[in-house]
Amino acid sequence: MSQKVWGGRFKEETDALVSRFNASIGFDRRLYAQDIEGSMAHCRMLAKQEIITGDEAALILEALGEIKREIDRDDSAFDNDYEDIHSLVEKVLVEKIGPAGEKLHTGRSRNDQVALDVRLYVRDTIHVVIDLIKEAQLALVKLAEKNFALIMPGYTHLQRAQPVLLAHHLLAYYEMFKRDVERFQETLKRTNVMPLGSAALAGSTFELNRKMVAKELGFETISENSIDAVSDRDFVLEFLFNVSVLMMHLSRLSEELVIWSSQEFGFVTISDAFSTGSSIMPQKKNPDLPELIRGKTGRAYGHLISLLTTMKGLPLAYNKDMQEDKEALFDATDTAKICLEVMSRLLGEISFNSERLKAATECGFLVATDFADYLVRKGITFRESHEIVGRIVLFAVDQEKELHELTLDEMKGFERRIDKDVYEWLDPALSLKRRNIPGGTGPDMVKKCLIKAKRELKI
Ligand code: ARG
């Protein structure tokens, strides 16, 4: 028996190379659960509309359930001779129950079927990814809470800039992940549209009850245009974009962990269990995990660009090029999931070196802006105070001193209104306290943000 679902029109056997090149079963078998779920809903609707009988539907549903269980148990339960998961399920169904099985595809095409399967897959995956992002957020919150007392240098251009609370720095990533969750939720809306009933491209001559299928499968709406419904992969592209941004966020955090764990910075130590060694240099302890997350970001971007490029020249409606959406989608999914999982665990495996952080905060003139703000309070314009402090910094660099190490007389030499209260402005901890403005790094504000984050994560 032919394993194909389109033999009738053909006189010659398909060339073996053509079958191999054309087939998607090697990767789309991953959609078996969604394919069967969709077929079950379609079957129930066909029976309700009296397009097939109740008895036929019962047979089909039972056999589909059986196929699902068989693949659940062993994902190579059926050989790979089929073109795709849709042909596999249909052919196995017919083998099991005969003619009743041949009625399942009534009013349906693989074009709307695959659109449905991929939508179901993206929908399921979005929920999983959102949960994993929330775990990463939780790990950040815990790390921020545990190290709440620590101050670190904040950077711009990777040059020491101003003192910040370490917790504030970590919560910046919390915000990024929050936007990622929002983006995935947004995409969910446009994914949650039911395409079945569009058939090949023009809709169906049967009186299909599309709303019933949508309701059964938990879709919010049905597609409005059959041609669009079988041509549209925007929701996959959005998903890939969201994964790309998420990976970019994970990559930036990874980059910081790599830098921070270097001897040059020495801000963090990653546990042995989450580090690796060198085959030649006995002393080495390498941050392979964040490096790999950073590295895998490239493949996520690649998938987005690849599918955008695949789609850009396609005439309406379905074209086989679109089969290329799946490997991109699956690999992006796997990459995002494993990277989130690793990052969540990794964040629990790092310890901060408080001495190094403190030392780094105390040298490099991080309080120069505070100094300038101080002068403004003494009645000097900000531009002028910026200039004065710039000159004092230059003097301090020459003297090999930090600002707080200068004597009052030395400072007065630059501006007579500088008084001994200036020293309160040259202390990094006091600098933080003055930044209790919403969104700022002041401890009271950051504490509030932590409380809010915990409320958002429901912990
Ligand atoms: N394997 C195909 C895909 O992934 C399924 C749809 C095939 N449709 C067709 N008319 N050849 O896109």
Side-chain angles (χ1 to χ4, degrees):
M1 184 183 166
S2 159
Q3 305 288 47
K4 290 197 284 287
V5 283
W6 41 263
R9 190 226 175 278
F10 291 77
K11 280 198 281 199
E12 284 177 65
E13 264 306 304
T14 315
D15 187 276
L17 178 64
V18 173
S19 295
R20 188 148 59 87
F21 185 61
N22 194 41
S24 52
I25 187 66
F27 45 87
D28 70 11
R29 51 166 59 250
R30 249 173 101 148
L31 294 173
Y32 78 95
Q34 289 81 6
D35 195 72
I36 291 174
E37 192 189 352
S39 284
M40 284 177 154
H42 181 64
C43 171
R44 281 190 209 103
M45 181 277 292
L46 290 178
K48 177 95 192 299
Q49 300 298 96
E50 297 178 352
I51 298 168
I52 62 173
T53 67
D55 287 350
E56 287 165 339
L59 267 178
I60 295 173
L61 290 173
E62 206 198 311
L64 284 175
E66 213 174 275
I67 298 172
K68 161 96 170 32
R69 285 191 295 279
E70 280 166 19
I71 307 181
D72 279 346
R73 235 178 288 127
D74 169 13
D75 63 6
S76 60
F78 304 101
D79 69 27
N80 261 1
D81 248 13
Y82 300 94
E83 185 182 328
D84 53 30
I85 187 64
H86 326 294
S87 343
L88 182 152
V89 172
E90 192 179 324
K91 284 286 170 184
V92 174
L93 177 71
V94 174
E95 270 164 39
K96 280 184 188 285
I97 61 170
E102 294 183 353
K103 295 192 174 182
L104 172 63
H105 211 51
T106 313
R108 190 175 68 167
S109 155
R110 278 184 300 163
N111 297 352
D112 58 348
Q113 187 178 358
V114 74
L116 174 78
D117 292 4
V118 177
R119 281 178 185 275
L120 286 170
Y121 179 87
V122 171
R123 201 175 71 178
D124 295 346
T125 305
I126 285 179
H127 291 301
V128 175
V129 171
I130 286 178
D131 285 349
L132 288 172
I133 297 175
K134 290 190 172 164
E135 270 174 41
Q137 287 181 299
L138 180 61
L140 282 165
V141 165
K142 280 190 183 157
L143 196 61
E145 227 173 9
K146 189 170 150 201
N147 296 285
F148 195 78
L150 299 186
I151 302 174
M152 68 178 286
Y155 294 84
T156 65
H157 313 267
L158 200 55
Q159 306 288 321
R160 286 181 196 168
Q162 292 181 331
V164 294
L165 218 51
L166 168 66
H168 192 54
H169 191 106
L170 294 174
L171 287 182
Y173 287 100
Y174 176 89
E175 293 297 319
M176 296 180 218
F177 289 143
K178 199 162 113 183
R179 290 194 296 275
D180 288 323
V181 169
E182 284 168 12
R183 255 187 294 274
F184 280 109
Q185 281 163 344
E186 266 292 311
T187 300
L188 205 49
K189 285 191 220 157
R190 282 175 293 279
T191 305
N192 219 358
V193 180
M194 209 291 296
L196 228 53
S198 306
L201 77 161
S204 172
T205 58
F206 293 99
E207 266 187 53
L208 307 177
N209 186 341
R210 302 190 59 211
K211 290 214 168 116
M212 173 183 166
V213 177
K215 196 157 174 244
E216 287 239 348
L217 294 172
F219 281 100
E220 260 159 39
T221 50
I222 58 173
S223 53
E224 298 280 343
N225 180 304
S226 59
I227 298 177
D228 178 47
V230 292
S231 314
D232 172 27
R233 293 293 182 274
D234 293 1
F235 63 101
V236 181
L237 288 168
E238 276 189 40
F239 178 84
L240 293 176
F241 174 76
N242 299 346
V243 166
S244 297
V245 178
L246 164 68
M247 288 299 300
M248 178 269 285
H249 292 155
L250 285 168
S251 185
R252 292 182 78 172
L253 178 53
S254 296
E255 167 70 5
E256 299 214 284
L257 293 178
V258 171
I259 295 178
W260 291 353
S261 62
S262 68
Q263 271 98 343
E264 281 68 16
F265 273 73
F267 287 178
V268 299
T269 306
I270 302 177
S271 74
D272 283 1
F274 275 67
S275 303
T276 48
S278 155
S279 64
I280 177 168
M281 297 167 283
Q283 88 285 10
K284 287 301 288 291
K285 185 171 158 186
N286 296 327
D288 285 29
L289 297 185
E291 288 173 277
L292 264 178
I293 295 175
R294 191 176 61 186
K296 284 178 190 294
T297 304
R299 64 201 278 168
Y301 294 1
H303 295 315
L304 172 63
I305 297 298
S306 121
L307 188 59
L308 277 170
T309 313
T310 299
M311 297 302 293
K312 89 181 197 10
L314 300 187
L316 300 181
Y318 177 81
N319 299 269
K320 191 66 173 235
D321 316 45
M322 290 157 70
Q323 179 166 288
E324 291 289 310
D325 62 353
K326 280 165 216 64
E327 285 162 292
L329 172 61
F330 296 152
D331 188 70
T333 299
D334 293 343
T335 303
K337 278 163 65 178
I338 188 78
C339 290
L340 280 167
E341 232 174 285
V342 169
M343 182 55 87
S344 300
R345 291 278 309 278
L346 177 62
L347 289 172
E349 298 286 330
I350 64 178
S351 47
F352 284 92
N353 184 341
S354 55
E355 288 306 308
R356 291 286 294 218
L357 286 171
K358 189 166 186 293
T361 316
E362 279 167 3
C363 94
F365 313 106
L366 283 90
V367 290
T369 311
D370 297 69
F371 197 165
D373 288 354
Y374 165 82
L375 290 180
V376 169
R377 284 175 164 79
K378 298 281 171 183
I380 298 167
T381 67
F382 185 75
R383 268 298 140 246
E384 200 190 338
S385 74
H386 186 286
E387 175 71 23
I388 295 166
V389 176
R391 276 189 268 118
I392 298 177
V393 167
L394 195 58
F395 173 78
V397 170
D398 279 349
Q399 303 287 308
E400 294 183 14
K401 283 183 178 174
E402 284 300 318
L403 291 174
H404 66 272
E405 291 167 338
L406 298 176
T407 66
L408 188 56
D409 282 345
E410 282 170 329
M411 289 191 265
K412 270 190 182 297
F414 290 89
E415 168 53 54
R416 60 179 172 74
R417 278 170 282 185
I418 297 176
D419 216 337
K420 62 176 184 306
D421 58 350
V422 70
Y423 291 103
E424 286 164 29
W425 289 73
L426 304 180
D427 173 348
L430 295 176
S431 157
L432 284 188
K433 284 218 174 87
R434 289 196 188 90
R435 288 182 163 72
N436 268 323
I437 175 174
T441 194
D444 291 347
M445 275 303 153
V446 178
K447 189 148 271 163
K448 275 190 192 151
C449 290
L450 263 178
I451 292 168
K452 182 161 175 272
K454 283 162 77 175
R455 206 173 48 231
E456 284 165 358
L457 293 174
K458 300 189 178 62
I459 47 167

